[in-house]
Amino acid sequence: MVKLGRINTLKVTRHVDFGVYLDGGESGEILMPAKYIDKPLEVGEETDVFVYRDGSQRLVATKEKPLAMAGEFAYLECAAVNRFGAFMDWGVVKQLLVPFSEMKLQMKQGRRYMVYVYVDDASDRIVASAKIEKFLGNVFPEYRVGETVKAQIIKRNETGFSCIVDNLHKGMIYLNESYEDYKPGEIIDAKVRQVRRDGKIDLTPGGKSLDRTLDVATRIESIVEEEGSLALCDSSSPEEIKLRLHCSKKDFKKALGHLLKNKKVSVKDGVILKQS
């Protein structure tokens, strides 16, 4: 069965002057217009396509990849607003409708908003909602402490960065544990610090510890190469380290240890120097 708003693998059934028809099973044949075909396709060949409805509610296939598919969140720009609602640019020709009933506030052209993409049961068309909270926290999260997840940034507030965890749950990265100025819509690796009783998840930014260590080590080595030295050491404050390297003191110490072990740098009087 064809999944509307998702990538489907469909078989070519026939060629026409204006494109190819694909086997949509119970949904019937689905047209992929010629302008969306990126290479010659043979009858019987399978191809991966995104399926949506055009203005006449007919199913259409495309090789274009949307910024978000049904069941996903995305930070999208509003391209236009009319009497039906707001229309968002989402990477395919047909713009994505946010009905007025699914807006928190009046959307404005040119501004970006976090929305949830879904198939409306009543109309069987792909739409989006800016009322993202109703699509989050509907199942209790079952994570272990330290487990790696994908966190999509919603916004920054006075506490930290609110985010969407694995497309299902509400999460938070607190300011005292963040070392980057994350942007809305950005997707990062994070680790579960705790799952609260209300189902919200406290997160620590960063994926695998080794990846973070090597990343910070590369930054240190680059600065020392360019500037000749870096006035940081084990006794430097977490604030100094965060300001200069945008990382935690723990990650800094691991990275420095890695560089010292591999004789990439040396330390003298609290200053990191290039190994002579």
Side-chain angles (χ1 to χ4, degrees), residues 123-258:
S123 63
D124 196 34
R125 62 180 179 177
I126 308 166
V127 294
S129 173
K131 296 179 179 179
I132 61 173
E133 290 79 9
K134 67 181 182 179
F135 301 99
L136 293 170
N138 295 317
V139 293
F140 193 83
E142 300 289 344
Y143 292 111
R144 301 182 306 275
V145 172
E147 191 169 343
T148 299
V149 298
K150 291 293 183 183
Q152 186 172 21
I153 306 300
I154 300 173
K155 62 180 180 180
R156 175 176 175 162
N157 54 41
E158 60 184 16
T159 305
F161 297 91
S162 60
C163 51
I164 299 162
V165 180
D166 285 345
N167 239 30
L168 288 171
H169 313 292
K170 298 176 183 178
M172 175 66 72
I173 299 172
Y174 293 95
L175 290 178
N176 63 352
E177 293 195 1
S178 60
Y179 311 108
E180 302 285 346
D181 187 17
Y182 302 114
K183 305 300 181 186
E186 186 175 353
I187 300 175
I188 65 169
D189 286 331
K191 287 191 173 182
V192 175
R193 188 160 66 83
Q194 73 166 337
V195 176
R196 291 189 257 162
R197 290 184 178 180
D198 61 3
K200 294 180 180 178
I201 305 168
D202 292 339
L203 301 168
T204 299
K208 296 178 180 178
S209 179
L210 178 59
D211 291 341
R212 296 203 312 272
T213 297
L214 295 178
D215 181 62
V216 177
T218 300
R219 274 181 268 167
I220 293 171
E221 196 171 2
S222 296
I223 292 171
V224 172
E225 281 283 346
E226 293 176 9
E227 301 178 11
S229 65
L230 176 60
L232 291 175
C233 64
D234 282 355
S235 60
S236 298
S237 69
E239 290 76 18
E240 288 177 291
I241 293 168
K242 181 177 179 180
L243 182 64
R244 194 73 172 93
L245 295 172
H246 306 288
C247 70
S248 67
K249 184 168 183 175
K250 181 180 179 181
D251 284 345
F252 166 73
K253 291 174 71 174
K254 286 183 178 180
L256 181 57
H258 171 80

